Amino acid sequence: MTLNSVSHYDFVIIGGGIAGVVCAETLCELLNLSEYSRASVLQADHLKRVALVSATETVKTTINLQRITNMIESFDVEEKSGSSWSETWPNTITVIHDILLKLDPFGHVIYLQKSGINNPISYGKLCLTTGGVPRLIDPKHPYVIGLRDTESIETFQNRLQGTRRLMLVGNGGIATEIAHEVSGCQIIWVIKDSSISAPFLDPVAAAFLLEAREISKQGNSEEKGGSASNLPGVASEVTQIRRMRYVVAGNDSVEDISETSKGHLILVPVQNQPLESHISKPQVTGAALGPDWAHGRNLLGRLTNTVDGGLLKVVYQAKIKTLLSPEEFLGKKRSETLPLPNGNITDNGSVIPVDDWPVYVELTNNEIYGCDLVVSAIGVEANFSPFNKNNRGDTDTDASAHKNSGNDDNEADTTKSLVFGCSFDRVSMRLGGGLLIDEQMRTSCKDVYAAGDCAYAHWTWSPHWFQMRLWNQARQMGFHAAKCMFCHTNGDTNVPLDFSFELFTHVTYFFGFKVVLLGRFNGQGMNLSDPDTYILMRVTRGREFIKCIMQSGRMHGAVLIGETDLEETLENLILNQIDLTNLEDHLLDPDVDLSDYFD
C-alpha cells in the first residue's frame, strides 16, 4: 500500500456530540492558556493540533449554562456548523466531516471513509465519543421511528401531523416527555414496568405526576368554562409529611401500600411516628418549561377539537409481540382493542373503521391496537457504526461473558469485541455495550480514550454516583477525558477524578414539572429492606413531591419534583453525610428554613 499523505494531530476526537465537543473545547483551552497561567505548562503546547471528526457537518454545543448548585447545572443543546464553531481556535482545531472506518492503535493511525485508505491520519492521543443509537423495535419497518438527534425529531414532527393514534413504546426520559408534549392524537403508552418513568421515578412519584397531569388538564378545562374553584388541589392543598420504609411483600397486616420498582418490596408508612403530619400550604406556581428537545416545536397530531387529558392510555407490564399489516390483522380474525372510552375517534367525531390503520400492534398481554405511527423509545446502546452494522460488535472470544470482579457497585458482564477493527474490552449489550474505561478515561488500547454514551465507567464509583446515559454525564466525561489526555501527554499519568463524579445529579422536566435527582435517588445499590433504611417524604398534591432516602440517620439520595428550593441543601447533606437523627422530624417541614439552619 502506498500512502499519498499522512496528516498528524496530537489529539483526535471521534464524534461531534456533547462529549466530543466538550472534550475538544477543553483541549483547545488547555493548549491556549494565557501567558500568566502557563508557569507549569510546556511552551510547545500552543503548537499542538486537535482534530474533531464528525459524521455530520454540524456539532452539538452547550449554551445557556446555568449552575443551580455546586454540583447541579442545567444547559441547552444547540447545533452549530463545524466551521463556525471552530473559528474560536483557528490555529489549534480542525473539524473533519467524515466517518471513522478503521483504527490501528499500534501504528497510531485512523482511516476515514471519504479520505480513503491511502490518506490515513496519525494521532498522539485518540478519544472515541461516538455516542449511542436508539434500540429500535424493527429498524426497517416504515411505521416505526426512533428519537435520538435533531434530524429524527424533525422527522417525528412532520409525521405527527398526519397521526390520529400514536403507539409509544418505552419508559425513559424521552418517552415521558413525548407523553406530555404531544397533543392532538391518541397516545397508547406501552411500558414493561408497573409505573411510568421507572428509570427515574418510583411508583409513588410516578403516581404523583399522573395525578398532577390530570389536575392540570382539569384546571385548563374548568378555566375555559369559567370555574376552577372546585378542582382538587387548585383552591387549597394539604401538604403530607410522612416517614416510610420498604418491607418484603406478603405482609397481610399492611394496607394502602405502593409497589416499588424492585417488585418484591413495598413502601409502607412507619407506624406510630410523630413525623407524620398534614400541613396546609398556600398555592405555589411551578415552572412550566418543556424538555429541551421539544422546546419551540409544535408536536401536534391530526385530531382537532379534542380534550388532550383524555387521549392518553398507559398499558402497564407489556411489550410488543409483533407488528401486523392490515391484511395480517384481518387474517387473525381478532377484534381491535379500543384504547379509550370514546373508541376510534376522528377529528370530526366519527368512528374510524377497524381496518383503517396502516399498522396494528399485538402486545404480550394479547391486546391489539391499530395506529398510524409507532415510536420506539426503549433506550440506547453504544454506537460504533458503520464498522459494526448491527452495532453489537464482532466477538472474537467465547460468547459467554465473564463477570468483572472487585466492584459491587458496577459489577458488569464484560467481553472482548472488535470495534473499528481493533480489539477492545467492552461491557455486555445488557448494559449498553460501551467500551470499558478506567478513572483516567483510558480504554484497553494504548493511547485510546472514550467518553459519553459509548463508554462504560469501569472503576470503583463514589458512594453516591453511578452512570446513566444523560447529557450532563456526557459533558462531565468529555471534560475529564480532555484533562487526562492533556496531562498524560505532558507526563502526568495520575489525574484526580473530577469532583463531578462524587455525586449523581440530574435536572430535567417531566409533565411540566422541574425534576431534580440527587445521589442514590431510588436507593440504587442499597438494601432497601434493611431496618435502618427508610424514606422521608413530603407531598403537596399537584404541586410538589420530595423524597429523601435515609439510612441510619444519614441521607443518601433525593427526588425533588416542583419548585422546592431544596437542591443545594440536600446536595450538601448527601455529600457531607451529616447525622440527621435529631433533626428528621422537622427536616421537611415547609416552615423550617433548612438552608439557613445548615449555614
Side-chain angles (χ1 to χ4, degrees), residues 439-472:
E439 66 277 4
Q440 302 292 303
M441 310 302 288
R442 297 172 298 203
T443 68
S444 55
C445 289
K446 181 177 174 59
D447 292 329
V448 178
Y449 301 70
D453 287 357
C454 72
Y456 183 85
H458 197 239
W459 63 77
T460 301
W461 297 342
S462 297
H464 300 106
W465 185 89
F466 57 92
Q467 185 177 5
M468 290 185 75
R469 284 187 165 94
L470 301 168
W471 285 115
N472 61 316

PDB file of all heavy atoms in Angstrom, residues 439-472:
ATOM      1  N   GLU A 439     -10.505   5.221  35.496  1.00  0.00           N
ATOM      2  CA  GLU A 439     -10.749   6.576  36.003  1.00  0.00           C
ATOM      3  C   GLU A 439      -9.935   7.637  35.271  1.00  0.00           C
ATOM      4  O   GLU A 439     -10.174   8.833  35.427  1.00  0.00           O
ATOM      5  CB  GLU A 439     -10.467   6.647  37.504  1.00  0.00           C
ATOM      6  CG  GLU A 439      -9.020   6.435  37.894  1.00  0.00           C
ATOM      7  CD  GLU A 439      -8.648   4.964  37.999  1.00  0.00           C
ATOM      8  OE1 GLU A 439      -9.503   4.103  37.686  1.00  0.00           O
ATOM      9  OE2 GLU A 439      -7.508   4.672  38.396  1.00  0.00           O
ATOM     10  N   GLN A 440      -8.979   7.201  34.435  1.00  0.00           N
ATOM     11  CA  GLN A 440      -8.236   8.123  33.581  1.00  0.00           C
ATOM     12  C   GLN A 440      -8.843   8.194  32.179  1.00  0.00           C
ATOM     13  O   GLN A 440      -8.239   8.755  31.264  1.00  0.00           O
ATOM     14  CB  GLN A 440      -6.772   7.690  33.492  1.00  0.00           C
ATOM     15  CG  GLN A 440      -6.056   7.616  34.836  1.00  0.00           C
ATOM     16  CD  GLN A 440      -5.870   8.972  35.472  1.00  0.00           C
ATOM     17  OE1 GLN A 440      -5.285   9.876  34.883  1.00  0.00           O
ATOM     18  NE2 GLN A 440      -6.375   9.137  36.691  1.00  0.00           N
ATOM     19  N   MET A 441     -10.022   7.595  32.005  1.00  0.00           N
ATOM     20  CA  MET A 441     -10.782   7.585  30.752  1.00  0.00           C
ATOM     21  C   MET A 441     -10.098   6.775  29.650  1.00  0.00           C
ATOM     22  O   MET A 441     -10.423   6.903  28.470  1.00  0.00           O
ATOM     23  CB  MET A 441     -11.050   9.017  30.251  1.00  0.00           C
ATOM     24  CG  MET A 441     -11.642   9.952  31.299  1.00  0.00           C
ATOM     25  SD  MET A 441     -13.203   9.349  31.999  1.00  0.00           S
ATOM     26  CE  MET A 441     -14.314   9.604  30.631  1.00  0.00           C
ATOM     27  N   ARG A 442      -9.159   5.911  30.027  1.00  0.00           N
ATOM     28  CA  ARG A 442      -8.435   5.095  29.057  1.00  0.00           C
ATOM     29  C   ARG A 442      -9.177   3.795  28.779  1.00  0.00           C
ATOM     30  O   ARG A 442      -9.703   3.163  29.692  1.00  0.00           O
ATOM     31  CB  ARG A 442      -7.031   4.783  29.577  1.00  0.00           C
ATOM     32  CG  ARG A 442      -6.145   6.002  29.769  1.00  0.00           C
ATOM     33  CD  ARG A 442      -4.846   5.655  30.460  1.00  0.00           C
ATOM     34  NE  ARG A 442      -5.071   5.133  31.811  1.00  0.00           N
ATOM     35  CZ  ARG A 442      -4.161   5.152  32.782  1.00  0.00           C
ATOM     36  NH1 ARG A 442      -2.962   5.668  32.544  1.00  0.00           N
ATOM     37  NH2 ARG A 442      -4.438   4.662  33.973  1.00  0.00           N
ATOM     38  N   THR A 443      -9.193   3.390  27.511  1.00  0.00           N
ATOM     39  CA  THR A 443      -9.730   2.086  27.139  1.00  0.00           C
ATOM     40  C   THR A 443      -8.620   1.049  27.274  1.00  0.00           C
ATOM     41  O   THR A 443      -7.515   1.343  27.750  1.00  0.00           O
ATOM     42  CB  THR A 443     -10.242   2.102  25.687  1.00  0.00           C
ATOM     43  OG1 THR A 443      -9.125   2.239  24.797  1.00  0.00           O
ATOM     44  CG2 THR A 443     -11.216   3.251  25.461  1.00  0.00           C
ATOM     45  N   SER A 444      -8.899  -0.165  26.826  1.00  0.00           N
ATOM     46  CA  SER A 444      -7.902  -1.234  26.902  1.00  0.00           C
ATOM     47  C   SER A 444      -6.828  -1.098  25.832  1.00  0.00           C
ATOM     48  O   SER A 444      -5.846  -1.842  25.849  1.00  0.00           O
ATOM     49  CB  SER A 444      -8.591  -2.599  26.779  1.00  0.00           C
ATOM     50  OG  SER A 444      -9.371  -2.665  25.593  1.00  0.00           O
ATOM     51  N   CYS A 445      -6.993  -0.175  24.875  1.00  0.00           N
ATOM     52  CA  CYS A 445      -5.984   0.068  23.841  1.00  0.00           C
ATOM     53  C   CYS A 445      -5.147   1.293  24.214  1.00  0.00           C
ATOM     54  O   CYS A 445      -5.700   2.332  24.594  1.00  0.00           O
ATOM     55  CB  CYS A 445      -6.646   0.291  22.479  1.00  0.00           C
ATOM     56  SG  CYS A 445      -7.367  -1.200  21.776  1.00  0.00           S
ATOM     57  N   LYS A 446      -3.862   1.186  24.082  1.00  0.00           N
ATOM     58  CA  LYS A 446      -2.939   2.250  24.467  1.00  0.00           C
ATOM     59  C   LYS A 446      -3.238   3.538  23.706  1.00  0.00           C
ATOM     60  O   LYS A 446      -3.433   3.526  22.487  1.00  0.00           O
ATOM     61  CB  LYS A 446      -1.496   1.812  24.200  1.00  0.00           C
ATOM     62  CG  LYS A 446      -0.440   2.847  24.590  1.00  0.00           C
ATOM     63  CD  LYS A 446       0.952   2.306  24.352  1.00  0.00           C
ATOM     64  CE  LYS A 446       2.022   3.367  24.593  1.00  0.00           C
ATOM     65  NZ  LYS A 446       1.981   3.906  25.964  1.00  0.00           N
ATOM     66  N   ASP A 447      -3.294   4.644  24.447  1.00  0.00           N
ATOM     67  CA  ASP A 447      -3.500   5.993  23.908  1.00  0.00           C
ATOM     68  C   ASP A 447      -4.867   6.181  23.256  1.00  0.00           C
ATOM     69  O   ASP A 447      -5.071   7.125  22.487  1.00  0.00           O
ATOM     70  CB  ASP A 447      -2.395   6.368  22.909  1.00  0.00           C
ATOM     71  CG  ASP A 447      -1.041   6.535  23.583  1.00  0.00           C
ATOM     72  OD1 ASP A 447      -1.019   6.950  24.761  1.00  0.00           O
ATOM     73  OD2 ASP A 447      -0.015   6.239  22.944  1.00  0.00           O
ATOM     74  N   VAL A 448      -5.810   5.290  23.549  1.00  0.00           N
ATOM     75  CA  VAL A 448      -7.185   5.438  23.064  1.00  0.00           C
ATOM     76  C   VAL A 448      -8.093   5.624  24.274  1.00  0.00           C
ATOM     77  O   VAL A 448      -8.126   4.779  25.172  1.00  0.00           O
ATOM     78  CB  VAL A 448      -7.647   4.221  22.238  1.00  0.00           C
ATOM     79  CG1 VAL A 448      -9.101   4.405  21.801  1.00  0.00           C
ATOM     80  CG2 VAL A 448      -6.752   4.036  21.019  1.00  0.00           C
ATOM     81  N   TYR A 449      -8.816   6.725  24.296  1.00  0.00           N
ATOM     82  CA  TYR A 449      -9.711   7.082  25.388  1.00  0.00           C
ATOM     83  C   TYR A 449     -11.155   7.005  24.885  1.00  0.00           C
ATOM     84  O   TYR A 449     -11.406   6.890  23.685  1.00  0.00           O
ATOM     85  CB  TYR A 449      -9.409   8.496  25.892  1.00  0.00           C
ATOM     86  CG  TYR A 449      -7.989   8.692  26.397  1.00  0.00           C
ATOM     87  CD1 TYR A 449      -6.900   8.693  25.519  1.00  0.00           C
ATOM     88  CD2 TYR A 449      -7.734   8.892  27.745  1.00  0.00           C
ATOM     89  CE1 TYR A 449      -5.599   8.876  25.974  1.00  0.00           C
ATOM     90  CE2 TYR A 449      -6.438   9.079  28.221  1.00  0.00           C
ATOM     91  CZ  TYR A 449      -5.374   9.063  27.327  1.00  0.00           C
ATOM     92  OH  TYR A 449      -4.097   9.243  27.785  1.00  0.00           O
ATOM     93  N   ALA A 450     -12.103   7.094  25.794  1.00  0.00           N
ATOM     94  CA  ALA A 450     -13.515   7.101  25.397  1.00  0.00           C
ATOM     95  C   ALA A 450     -14.308   7.900  26.417  1.00  0.00           C
ATOM     96  O   ALA A 450     -13.940   7.986  27.597  1.00  0.00           O
ATOM     97  CB  ALA A 450     -14.066   5.683  25.273  1.00  0.00           C
ATOM     98  N   ALA A 451     -15.412   8.493  25.963  1.00  0.00           N
ATOM     99  CA  ALA A 451     -16.263   9.296  26.843  1.00  0.00           C
ATOM    100  C   ALA A 451     -17.672   9.333  26.280  1.00  0.00           C
ATOM    101  O   ALA A 451     -17.887   9.161  25.082  1.00  0.00           O
ATOM    102  CB  ALA A 451     -15.707  10.720  26.977  1.00  0.00           C
ATOM    103  N   GLY A 452     -18.642   9.555  27.157  1.00  0.00           N
ATOM    104  CA  GLY A 452     -20.031   9.668  26.732  1.00  0.00           C
ATOM    105  C   GLY A 452     -20.734   8.325  26.654  1.00  0.00           C
ATOM    106  O   GLY A 452     -20.357   7.357  27.321  1.00  0.00           O
ATOM    107  N   ASP A 453     -21.753   8.247  25.809  1.00  0.00           N
ATOM    108  CA  ASP A 453     -22.607   7.064  25.745  1.00  0.00           C
ATOM    109  C   ASP A 453     -21.891   5.821  25.248  1.00  0.00           C
ATOM    110  O   ASP A 453     -22.364   4.704  25.472  1.00  0.00           O
ATOM    111  CB  ASP A 453     -23.809   7.337  24.835  1.00  0.00           C
ATOM    112  CG  ASP A 453     -24.819   8.269  25.483  1.00  0.00           C
ATOM    113  OD1 ASP A 453     -24.602   8.649  26.650  1.00  0.00           O
ATOM    114  OD2 ASP A 453     -25.818   8.622  24.826  1.00  0.00           O
ATOM    115  N   CYS A 454     -20.773   5.970  24.543  1.00  0.00           N
ATOM    116  CA  CYS A 454     -20.065   4.794  24.027  1.00  0.00           C
ATOM    117  C   CYS A 454     -19.086   4.226  25.042  1.00  0.00           C
ATOM    118  O   CYS A 454     -18.388   3.254  24.754  1.00  0.00           O
ATOM    119  CB  CYS A 454     -19.338   5.128  22.725  1.00  0.00           C
ATOM    120  SG  CYS A 454     -17.878   6.176  22.932  1.00  0.00           S
ATOM    121  N   ALA A 455     -19.026   4.814  26.242  1.00  0.00           N
ATOM    122  CA  ALA A 455     -18.068   4.385  27.263  1.00  0.00           C
ATOM    123  C   ALA A 455     -18.798   3.842  28.482  1.00  0.00           C
ATOM    124  O   ALA A 455     -19.925   4.240  28.783  1.00  0.00           O
ATOM    125  CB  ALA A 455     -17.170   5.554  27.670  1.00  0.00           C
ATOM    126  N   TYR A 456     -18.133   2.927  29.193  1.00  0.00           N
ATOM    127  CA  TYR A 456     -18.673   2.386  30.436  1.00  0.00           C
ATOM    128  C   TYR A 456     -17.659   2.613  31.549  1.00  0.00           C
ATOM    129  O   TYR A 456     -16.514   2.159  31.469  1.00  0.00           O
ATOM    130  CB  TYR A 456     -18.978   0.891  30.304  1.00  0.00           C
ATOM    131  CG  TYR A 456     -19.616   0.300  31.546  1.00  0.00           C
ATOM    132  CD1 TYR A 456     -20.988   0.383  31.740  1.00  0.00           C
ATOM    133  CD2 TYR A 456     -18.842  -0.318  32.521  1.00  0.00           C
ATOM    134  CE1 TYR A 456     -21.579  -0.148  32.877  1.00  0.00           C
ATOM    135  CE2 TYR A 456     -19.423  -0.847  33.664  1.00  0.00           C
ATOM    136  CZ  TYR A 456     -20.792  -0.759  33.836  1.00  0.00           C
ATOM    137  OH  TYR A 456     -21.374  -1.275  34.971  1.00  0.00           O
ATOM    138  N   ALA A 457     -18.071   3.337  32.581  1.00  0.00           N
ATOM    139  CA  ALA A 457     -17.178   3.695  33.686  1.00  0.00           C
ATOM    140  C   ALA A 457     -16.836   2.452  34.497  1.00  0.00           C
ATOM    141  O   ALA A 457     -17.633   1.982  35.307  1.00  0.00           O
ATOM    142  CB  ALA A 457     -17.842   4.748  34.567  1.00  0.00           C
ATOM    143  N   HIS A 458     -15.633   1.937  34.293  1.00  0.00           N
ATOM    144  CA  HIS A 458     -15.228   0.668  34.900  1.00  0.00           C
ATOM    145  C   HIS A 458     -14.214   0.914  36.009  1.00  0.00           C
ATOM    146  O   HIS A 458     -13.102   0.400  35.996  1.00  0.00           O
ATOM    147  CB  HIS A 458     -14.648  -0.243  33.816  1.00  0.00           C
ATOM    148  CG  HIS A 458     -14.579  -1.679  34.215  1.00  0.00           C
ATOM    149  ND1 HIS A 458     -13.406  -2.391  34.252  1.00  0.00           N
ATOM    150  CD2 HIS A 458     -15.547  -2.548  34.607  1.00  0.00           C
ATOM    151  CE1 HIS A 458     -13.642  -3.628  34.634  1.00  0.00           C
ATOM    152  NE2 HIS A 458     -14.932  -3.747  34.856  1.00  0.00           N
ATOM    153  N   TRP A 459     -14.611   1.761  36.941  1.00  0.00           N
ATOM    154  CA  TRP A 459     -13.777   1.996  38.113  1.00  0.00           C
ATOM    155  C   TRP A 459     -14.660   1.909  39.353  1.00  0.00           C
ATOM    156  O   TRP A 459     -15.885   1.762  39.244  1.00  0.00           O
ATOM    157  CB  TRP A 459     -13.077   3.357  38.016  1.00  0.00           C
ATOM    158  CG  TRP A 459     -13.985   4.554  37.998  1.00  0.00           C
ATOM    159  CD1 TRP A 459     -14.636   5.118  39.060  1.00  0.00           C
ATOM    160  CD2 TRP A 459     -14.344   5.357  36.864  1.00  0.00           C
ATOM    161  NE1 TRP A 459     -15.368   6.210  38.673  1.00  0.00           N
ATOM    162  CE2 TRP A 459     -15.203   6.386  37.325  1.00  0.00           C
ATOM    163  CE3 TRP A 459     -14.011   5.319  35.515  1.00  0.00           C
ATOM    164  CZ2 TRP A 459     -15.740   7.352  36.486  1.00  0.00           C
ATOM    165  CZ3 TRP A 459     -14.549   6.278  34.678  1.00  0.00           C
ATOM    166  CH2 TRP A 459     -15.394   7.279  35.157  1.00  0.00           C
ATOM    167  N   THR A 460     -14.071   1.988  40.523  1.00  0.00           N
ATOM    168  CA  THR A 460     -14.852   1.943  41.755  1.00  0.00           C
ATOM    169  C   THR A 460     -15.553   3.280  41.941  1.00  0.00           C
ATOM    170  O   THR A 460     -14.913   4.301  42.175  1.00  0.00           O
ATOM    171  CB  THR A 460     -13.941   1.660  42.964  1.00  0.00           C
ATOM    172  OG1 THR A 460     -13.276   0.412  42.765  1.00  0.00           O
ATOM    173  CG2 THR A 460     -14.766   1.583  44.243  1.00  0.00           C
ATOM    174  N   TRP A 461     -16.857   3.267  41.804  1.00  0.00           N
ATOM    175  CA  TRP A 461     -17.629   4.501  41.865  1.00  0.00           C
ATOM    176  C   TRP A 461     -17.664   5.071  43.279  1.00  0.00           C
ATOM    177  O   TRP A 461     -17.593   4.337  44.270  1.00  0.00           O
ATOM    178  CB  TRP A 461     -19.058   4.255  41.400  1.00  0.00           C
ATOM    179  CG  TRP A 461     -19.168   3.815  39.969  1.00  0.00           C
ATOM    180  CD1 TRP A 461     -18.221   3.934  38.993  1.00  0.00           C
ATOM    181  CD2 TRP A 461     -20.288   3.175  39.353  1.00  0.00           C
ATOM    182  NE1 TRP A 461     -18.675   3.424  37.812  1.00  0.00           N
ATOM    183  CE2 TRP A 461     -19.941   2.944  37.996  1.00  0.00           C
ATOM    184  CE3 TRP A 461     -21.542   2.777  39.801  1.00  0.00           C
ATOM    185  CZ2 TRP A 461     -20.817   2.336  37.099  1.00  0.00           C
ATOM    186  CZ3 TRP A 461     -22.414   2.172  38.909  1.00  0.00           C
ATOM    187  CH2 TRP A 461     -22.057   1.956  37.578  1.00  0.00           C
ATOM    188  N   SER A 462     -17.819   6.380  43.364  1.00  0.00           N
ATOM    189  CA  SER A 462     -18.051   7.023  44.651  1.00  0.00           C
ATOM    190  C   SER A 462     -19.385   6.539  45.217  1.00  0.00           C
ATOM    191  O   SER A 462     -20.270   6.120  44.461  1.00  0.00           O
ATOM    192  CB  SER A 462     -18.075   8.547  44.488  1.00  0.00           C
ATOM    193  OG  SER A 462     -16.818   9.018  44.047  1.00  0.00           O
ATOM    194  N   PRO A 463     -19.555   6.587  46.538  1.00  0.00           N
ATOM    195  CA  PRO A 463     -20.756   6.009  47.157  1.00  0.00           C
ATOM    196  C   PRO A 463     -22.074   6.565  46.626  1.00  0.00           C
ATOM    197  O   PRO A 463     -23.088   5.873  46.675  1.00  0.00           O
ATOM    198  CB  PRO A 463     -20.578   6.348  48.643  1.00  0.00           C
ATOM    199  CG  PRO A 463     -19.109   6.494  48.828  1.00  0.00           C
ATOM    200  CD  PRO A 463     -18.596   7.081  47.553  1.00  0.00           C
ATOM    201  N   HIS A 464     -22.075   7.793  46.103  1.00  0.00           N
ATOM    202  CA  HIS A 464     -23.341   8.408  45.703  1.00  0.00           C
ATOM    203  C   HIS A 464     -23.365   8.791  44.228  1.00  0.00           C
ATOM    204  O   HIS A 464     -24.112   9.678  43.812  1.00  0.00           O
ATOM    205  CB  HIS A 464     -23.622   9.634  46.578  1.00  0.00           C
ATOM    206  CG  HIS A 464     -23.725   9.308  48.032  1.00  0.00           C
ATOM    207  ND1 HIS A 464     -22.731   9.613  48.932  1.00  0.00           N
ATOM    208  CD2 HIS A 464     -24.685   8.654  48.735  1.00  0.00           C
ATOM    209  CE1 HIS A 464     -23.079   9.180  50.135  1.00  0.00           C
ATOM    210  NE2 HIS A 464     -24.251   8.597  50.039  1.00  0.00           N
ATOM    211  N   TRP A 465     -22.540   8.098  43.423  1.00  0.00           N
ATOM    212  CA  TRP A 465     -22.535   8.336  41.970  1.00  0.00           C
ATOM    213  C   TRP A 465     -22.695   7.010  41.247  1.00  0.00           C
ATOM    214  O   TRP A 465     -22.218   5.964  41.699  1.00  0.00           O
ATOM    215  CB  TRP A 465     -21.220   8.986  41.532  1.00  0.00           C
ATOM    216  CG  TRP A 465     -21.194   9.377  40.065  1.00  0.00           C
ATOM    217  CD1 TRP A 465     -21.606  10.559  39.529  1.00  0.00           C
ATOM    218  CD2 TRP A 465     -20.737   8.574  38.957  1.00  0.00           C
ATOM    219  NE1 TRP A 465     -21.439  10.545  38.160  1.00  0.00           N
ATOM    220  CE2 TRP A 465     -20.911   9.341  37.781  1.00  0.00           C
ATOM    221  CE3 TRP A 465     -20.215   7.287  38.853  1.00  0.00           C
ATOM    222  CZ2 TRP A 465     -20.574   8.858  36.517  1.00  0.00           C
ATOM    223  CZ3 TRP A 465     -19.884   6.801  37.590  1.00  0.00           C
ATOM    224  CH2 TRP A 465     -20.054   7.593  36.437  1.00  0.00           C
ATOM    225  N   PHE A 466     -23.381   7.043  40.120  1.00  0.00           N
ATOM    226  CA  PHE A 466     -23.461   5.894  39.226  1.00  0.00           C
ATOM    227  C   PHE A 466     -23.690   6.426  37.819  1.00  0.00           C
ATOM    228  O   PHE A 466     -24.019   7.596  37.623  1.00  0.00           O
ATOM    229  CB  PHE A 466     -24.582   4.929  39.645  1.00  0.00           C
ATOM    230  CG  PHE A 466     -25.941   5.561  39.726  1.00  0.00           C
ATOM    231  CD1 PHE A 466     -26.801   5.549  38.644  1.00  0.00           C
ATOM    232  CD2 PHE A 466     -26.361   6.181  40.899  1.00  0.00           C
ATOM    233  CE1 PHE A 466     -28.050   6.144  38.718  1.00  0.00           C
ATOM    234  CE2 PHE A 466     -27.609   6.772  40.988  1.00  0.00           C
ATOM    235  CZ  PHE A 466     -28.453   6.758  39.893  1.00  0.00           C
ATOM    236  N   GLN A 467     -23.500   5.578  36.827  1.00  0.00           N
ATOM    237  CA  GLN A 467     -23.546   6.027  35.439  1.00  0.00           C
ATOM    238  C   GLN A 467     -24.924   5.840  34.834  1.00  0.00           C
ATOM    239  O   GLN A 467     -25.564   4.799  34.992  1.00  0.00           O
ATOM    240  CB  GLN A 467     -22.512   5.266  34.598  1.00  0.00           C
ATOM    241  CG  GLN A 467     -22.408   5.772  33.162  1.00  0.00           C
ATOM    242  CD  GLN A 467     -21.328   5.064  32.364  1.00  0.00           C
ATOM    243  OE1 GLN A 467     -20.705   4.114  32.848  1.00  0.00           O
ATOM    244  NE2 GLN A 467     -21.094   5.512  31.141  1.00  0.00           N
ATOM    245  N   MET A 468     -25.396   6.873  34.130  1.00  0.00           N
ATOM    246  CA  MET A 468     -26.582   6.807  33.284  1.00  0.00           C
ATOM    247  C   MET A 468     -26.263   7.555  31.997  1.00  0.00           C
ATOM    248  O   MET A 468     -25.424   8.458  31.990  1.00  0.00           O
ATOM    249  CB  MET A 468     -27.807   7.440  33.963  1.00  0.00           C
ATOM    250  CG  MET A 468     -28.357   6.660  35.134  1.00  0.00           C
ATOM    251  SD  MET A 468     -29.895   7.379  35.803  1.00  0.00           S
ATOM    252  CE  MET A 468     -31.083   6.886  34.533  1.00  0.00           C
ATOM    253  N   ARG A 469     -26.934   7.194  30.913  1.00  0.00           N
ATOM    254  CA  ARG A 469     -26.692   7.869  29.635  1.00  0.00           C
ATOM    255  C   ARG A 469     -27.497   9.168  29.599  1.00  0.00           C
ATOM    256  O   ARG A 469     -28.644   9.196  29.160  1.00  0.00           O
ATOM    257  CB  ARG A 469     -27.057   6.946  28.476  1.00  0.00           C
ATOM    258  CG  ARG A 469     -26.013   5.860  28.246  1.00  0.00           C
ATOM    259  CD  ARG A 469     -26.302   5.071  26.985  1.00  0.00           C
ATOM    260  NE  ARG A 469     -25.145   4.299  26.586  1.00  0.00           N
ATOM    261  CZ  ARG A 469     -24.940   3.040  26.916  1.00  0.00           C
ATOM    262  NH1 ARG A 469     -25.822   2.412  27.673  1.00  0.00           N
ATOM    263  NH2 ARG A 469     -23.864   2.397  26.510  1.00  0.00           N
ATOM    264  N   LEU A 470     -26.860  10.237  30.059  1.00  0.00           N
ATOM    265  CA  LEU A 470     -27.503  11.538  30.173  1.00  0.00           C
ATOM    266  C   LEU A 470     -26.582  12.601  29.584  1.00  0.00           C
ATOM    267  O   LEU A 470     -25.356  12.453  29.571  1.00  0.00           O
ATOM    268  CB  LEU A 470     -27.795  11.863  31.644  1.00  0.00           C
ATOM    269  CG  LEU A 470     -28.700  10.876  32.393  1.00  0.00           C
ATOM    270  CD1 LEU A 470     -28.655  11.151  33.887  1.00  0.00           C
ATOM    271  CD2 LEU A 470     -30.127  10.963  31.877  1.00  0.00           C
ATOM    272  N   TRP A 471     -27.191  13.719  29.131  1.00  0.00           N
ATOM    273  CA  TRP A 471     -26.418  14.813  28.562  1.00  0.00           C
ATOM    274  C   TRP A 471     -25.351  15.307  29.542  1.00  0.00           C
ATOM    275  O   TRP A 471     -24.202  15.549  29.160  1.00  0.00           O
ATOM    276  CB  TRP A 471     -27.340  15.983  28.204  1.00  0.00           C
ATOM    277  CG  TRP A 471     -28.179  15.808  26.975  1.00  0.00           C
ATOM    278  CD1 TRP A 471     -29.543  15.734  26.920  1.00  0.00           C
ATOM    279  CD2 TRP A 471     -27.738  15.705  25.618  1.00  0.00           C
ATOM    280  NE1 TRP A 471     -29.965  15.589  25.625  1.00  0.00           N
ATOM    281  CE2 TRP A 471     -28.881  15.571  24.803  1.00  0.00           C
ATOM    282  CE3 TRP A 471     -26.481  15.714  25.012  1.00  0.00           C
ATOM    283  CZ2 TRP A 471     -28.804  15.450  23.420  1.00  0.00           C
ATOM    284  CZ3 TRP A 471     -26.407  15.592  23.629  1.00  0.00           C
ATOM    285  CH2 TRP A 471     -27.556  15.460  22.860  1.00  0.00           C
ATOM    286  N   ASN A 472     -25.738  15.503  30.802  1.00  0.00           N
ATOM    287  CA  ASN A 472     -24.785  16.100  31.740  1.00  0.00           C
ATOM    288  C   ASN A 472     -23.612  15.167  32.033  1.00  0.00           C
ATOM    289  O   ASN A 472     -22.481  15.616  32.222  1.00  0.00           O
ATOM    290  CB  ASN A 472     -25.484  16.519  33.037  1.00  0.00           C
ATOM    291  CG  ASN A 472     -26.116  15.362  33.779  1.00  0.00           C
ATOM    292  OD1 ASN A 472     -26.761  14.512  33.176  1.00  0.00           O
ATOM    293  ND2 ASN A 472     -25.954  15.322  35.087  1.00  0.00           N
TER     294      ASN A 472
END
